[in-house]
Amino acid sequence: AIQTGTHPALTTQENIQNFKRQLRSLGFAFDWDRELATTDDDYVKWTQFIFLKFLEQGLAEQREIPVNWCPELGTVLANEEIIDGKSERGGYPVVRTPLRQWVLKITEYADPLLDGLNNLEWPTGTKVSQTEWIGKSFGASIIFETLKSAENIQVFTTRPDTLFGVTHLVLAPEHPAVSMLCGADQRAEVDT
């Protein structure tokens, strides 16, 4: 939309018509009466309904999540859209900043999701992909003491048997403990 000046709804409809034309030209036959577009109001109505059900069950909440923000484009970018700290489109600076957003607590519903896969007549590969996406892990939470702070760092591992070989642990720059553990001389490097 920024590049062409065309409203996204119009571009989406044009692209849908083009895809349908291409599929027909290849000889594919689909029952177009069953077509849906995730941008249609009727579809969005049901995604909102489902979201409200998640919210009612305590499976949706707001959190501050670090995102790649491009002030010049006024949008969040995926990692793939950033090259050397700049937006792929336009070469504008991108900054990591927290953004309050809704998240689904899928891990709290992992057991029913995994159990439900057993009742589906899906290909094995699809079930494996879904199992990996749900991402339930078995392991242990381990607490490491720090030398510079009274704060301890808790980590989760699926391999507690390998802990005797631990020589260090790495924290993401946005981890809350970094500001307590990082000296002023290291702050500039962490922030870049």
Side-chain angles (χ1 to χ4, degrees):
I2 293 171
Q3 188 174 359
T4 64
T6 306
H7 193 283
L10 181 59
T11 305
T12 300
Q13 277 306 314
E14 289 173 355
N15 285 334
I16 289 170
Q17 294 309 314
N18 187 42
F19 292 147
K20 288 170 74 171
R21 180 191 58 76
Q22 291 171 333
L23 290 170
R24 285 186 182 116
S25 72
L26 292 170
F28 292 120
F30 293 102
D31 180 357
W32 295 107
D33 292 336
R34 295 172 182 247
E35 175 188 9
L36 63 86
T38 58
T39 54
D40 288 348
D41 289 341
D42 199 46
Y43 184 91
V44 172
K45 171 182 75 173
W46 289 110
T47 60
Q48 291 172 340
F49 173 82
I50 292 168
F51 172 80
L52 290 174
K53 294 298 176 192
F54 274 108
L55 188 61
E56 288 169 9
Q57 296 297 313
L59 296 172
E61 68 181 11
Q62 287 188 345
R63 289 190 202 150
E64 295 274 331
I65 306 289
V67 297
N68 301 313
W69 176 253
C70 179
E72 189 69 29
L73 295 174
T75 191
V76 172
L77 300 176
N79 292 337
E80 296 79 16
E81 298 174 296
I82 303 166
I83 301 169
D84 296 326
K86 297 184 186 318
S87 64
E88 182 179 45
R89 177 173 293 168
Y92 303 113
V94 176
V95 294
R96 289 286 283 174
T97 188
L99 179 68
R100 190 170 176 84
Q101 54 193 294
W102 286 100
V103 295
L104 299 178
K105 300 189 289 183
I106 221 72
T107 52
E108 290 190 21
Y109 201 63
D111 289 331
L113 288 172
L114 291 169
D115 291 343
L117 287 174
N118 296 328
N119 301 325
L120 297 175
E121 294 180 20
W122 285 1
T124 302
T126 304
K127 287 183 175 185
V128 168
S129 295
Q130 288 296 306
T131 301
E132 291 171 356
W133 179 80
I134 293 166
K136 181 165 182 165
S137 297
F138 297 95
S141 291
I142 310 295
I143 296 173
F144 287 93
E145 293 181 2
T146 61
L147 298 175
K148 289 189 172 183
S149 169
E151 289 288 321
N152 293 327
I153 299 171
Q154 183 173 326
V155 300
F156 176 83
T157 180
T158 58
R159 294 291 311 273
D161 57 311
T162 63
L163 287 173
F164 293 112
V166 172
T167 58
H168 67 281
L169 65 100
V170 178
L171 299 175
E174 59 270 4
H175 191 285
V178 169
S179 60
M180 294 179 292
L181 299 171
C182 184
D185 54 329
Q186 299 159 325
R187 174 54 54 202
E189 189 171 345
V190 169
D191 288 340
T192 56

